[in-house]
Amino acid sequence: MKHLDIVKALQPENEGKEAVVCGWVRTFRDSANVSFLELSDGTSFKKLQVVIDKSALAVDPECTKLGASVAVKGALVKAYKGEGNELNAVSVALLGKSPADYPIQKKRTTLDYLRGIPHLRLRTNTFQAVFRVRSVAAQAIHRYFHENGYYYVNTPLITASDCEGAGEMFRVTTRPWNAQAKSEGEYYKEDFFGVKAGLSVSGQLEGEVAATALGKIYTFGPSFRAENSNTTRHLAEFWHIEPEVAFAELPDVIEIAEDLLKYLIKAVLTECPEELKFFDSFVEKGLLEKLNHVATSDFAVCTYTEAIGILEKKNADFRFPVHWGSDLQSEHEKYLTEEVFKRPVFVTDYPKEIKSFYMKQNADGKTVAATDLLVPRIGEIIGGSEREADYTKLVAAMDARGMDKSAYKQYLDLRIFGTVPHGGFGLGFERFVMYVTGMENIRDVTLFPRSVKNIM
Ligand code: ATP
Ligand code: MN
């Protein structure tokens, strides 16, 4: 259809032009001589006001119903109030009716209610803003890596290895259930791949393959985890940004992570000012100030051992008291970043027992060169490490965990043929979007969230 996007219709340089604008009715107001339709077509956060002179134009009442879709022809004139243009209608054509039970009425729109209508909730301001920010952030991720000389690689989503420790895998199978199979191995021999296969929890292991030849790579794609934890920060299917870099040690990994986050925050601040103003007013008070501050000041760094020292003093207040060796729970992560450091903080050098087999073992024999980046309100947003590049040490770590080394032959080969120090991290895309929008539930930054007992 020949028409003008609302984002363009609003621009001052289009004042005085004739145009056809299409969109969905967001509000309708009627008075004695004129009535007003507010239209949204998704191209801008601002809506276009259509002015109808009732003495000159009779409009089909169906065109004024909330949620109806219309095409309006008219003249763009400077808005009576505010910036940009409004449209003086010459004709209003109905594209699609919207009956009176349109599920998005002003009164009922809580986030919880909207979760029940994922196919319609994008017609609200909140979700329009979330998905515009999400799109801008995705573009900025590719731009950041491209500008910094990284290659974009696509790692397999179906995998036979399970990147041990990252989470439970979903199985991929074409076999019907069979109680007769004598063993797991025999059962999977008849399956599509001939071995047990699943959906990847992380592209890291394959990312290392690419990084130890191409130097700097990143992946940006979905990861799947059969998380049985019904939290506001976990999905069964989420998008994962995973850079992997050769000739890099833990401090390099930390530097890249901080640089990337600041770049992304600046991009969203520059490209989504209207959306962020909205979030600042209605979702998280102080959001803009927080983001401006974070984008321009240093993140904190502290070792796990230091963190435990800080946390132990507060043990009486925690549901799960900590001691050296405990995994940090969300309550501890939030306390560190919100109360102690009051900014993003990298926690480094965790006990090897609570981290994955592939992390570089430190000289102390107790810790690994890992880091988690914790941010206020969310907790962990990034998990990364320098990888163990020493063949013998890597094998020892796998043996200590009773892992089947034959399944990791290629991964071990990288330590045999020209091994190099290297490292990387995983950034959860939805958690980043939560962080920059202030949205509190990961289900509200995902088009169709998948979680335990939920696949609408
Ligand atoms: P958590 O401790 O929060 O469960 P994790 O330590 O299992 O996370 P990693 O394996 O380190 O997570 O994955 C890297 C990043 O991917 C995390 O820092 C987080 O941002 C994101 N992430 C991990 N699991 C999920 C999930 N189920 N849903 C959404 N994002 C996730
Ligand atoms: Mn982690």
Side-chain angles (χ1 to χ4, degrees), residues 28-334:
F28 174 65
R29 281 184 298 126
D30 200 17
S31 68
N33 304 318
V34 281
S35 49
F36 302 96
L37 280 179
E38 259 195 329
L39 289 191
S40 160
D41 68 354
T43 60
S44 82
F45 191 61
K46 264 214 194 105
K47 287 155 283 263
L48 179 71
Q49 169 144 292
V50 174
V51 184
I52 298 157
D53 176 354
K54 288 163 77 171
S55 64
L57 180 65
V59 171
D60 175 353
E62 292 297 341
C63 291
T64 66
K65 301 282 161 65
L66 289 192
S69 46
V70 296
V72 183
K73 201 165 131 187
L76 290 165
V77 297
K78 193 167 172 357
Y80 182 67
K81 264 203 303 201
E83 289 160 39
N85 299 319
E86 55 190 27
L87 188 68
N88 280 340
V90 175
S91 71
V92 181
L94 183 69
L95 297 175
K97 286 189 204 181
S98 176
D101 59 354
Y102 180 57
I104 301 174
Q105 305 287 336
K106 276 262 176 301
K107 300 182 283 285
R108 292 193 305 211
T109 45
T110 64
L111 291 173
D112 194 39
Y113 167 76
L114 291 170
R115 256 168 243 145
I117 44 168
H119 59 304
L120 292 172
R121 65 179 178 169
L122 269 67
R123 309 241 185 126
T124 64
N125 287 342
T126 306
F127 286 89
Q128 297 249 313
V130 164
F131 285 93
R132 253 194 297 279
V133 167
R134 188 174 163 128
S135 171
V136 163
Q139 302 287 348
I141 284 162
H142 285 297
R143 216 163 52 234
Y144 174 84
F145 287 118
H146 183 63
E147 285 170 3
N148 286 283
Y150 289 70
Y151 297 105
Y152 174 43
V153 305
N154 306 115
T155 50
L157 300 188
I158 301 177
T159 171
S161 75
D162 68 357
C163 202
E164 196 247 6
E168 281 299 301
M169 264 214 300
F170 287 101
R171 263 165 52 193
V172 173
T173 179
T174 53
R175 282 208 82 187
W177 185 71
N178 175 357
Q180 263 77 61
K182 286 200 205 76
S183 68
E184 226 189 41
E186 176 158 311
Y187 176 82
Y188 289 114
K189 209 151 77 190
E190 301 302 316
D191 206 345
F192 189 91
F193 296 106
V195 290
K196 187 175 177 178
L199 292 178
S200 179
V201 296
S202 158
Q204 180 204 319
L205 300 191
E206 296 89 352
E208 287 184 50
V209 168
T212 51
L214 294 166
K216 295 196 281 188
I217 66 95
Y218 72 104
T219 68
F220 183 7
S223 282
F224 305 88
R225 295 187 185 182
E227 304 267 11
N228 210 349
S229 47
N230 226 328
T231 78
T232 54
R233 298 168 299 116
H234 290 92
L235 290 173
E237 177 182 301
F238 69 98
W239 281 66
H240 210 172
I241 297 110
E242 295 185 279
E244 192 69 36
V245 180
F247 320 112
E249 295 167 325
L250 186 64
D252 305 303
V253 171
I254 290 176
E255 200 179 303
I256 296 162
E258 181 167 341
D259 196 42
L260 169 66
L261 272 195
K262 287 178 173 170
Y263 180 97
L264 297 181
I265 291 170
K266 282 181 198 152
V268 172
L269 281 167
T270 323
E271 294 177 60
C272 301
E274 296 284 335
E275 288 79 3
L276 291 190
K277 220 187 310 164
F278 170 84
F279 290 123
D280 189 72
S281 307
F282 299 109
V283 178
E284 181 186 342
K285 297 261 178 279
L287 176 75
L288 274 171
E289 198 192 320
K290 172 185 93 176
L291 294 179
N292 276 307
H293 181 70
V294 167
T296 52
S297 56
D298 288 342
F299 293 8
V301 184
C302 91
T303 66
Y304 168 89
T305 304
E306 287 162 358
I308 290 294
I310 295 167
L311 293 168
E312 274 177 332
K313 299 200 187 93
K314 282 292 274 191
N315 261 346
D317 300 342
F318 292 136
R319 249 187 81 199
F320 303 98
V322 295
H323 55 87
W324 201 95
S326 11
D327 212 347
L328 299 187
Q329 307 282 338
S330 169
E331 58 175 338
H332 313 126
E333 297 180 338
K334 286 193 181 172

Side-chain angles (χ1 to χ4, degrees), residues 225 333 355 359 371-372 380 382-384 426 431:
R225 295 187 185 182
E333 297 180 338
K355 289 288 182 188
M359 296 184 175
T371 187
D372 281 0
E380 180 185 331
I382 281 178
R431 291 203 191 163

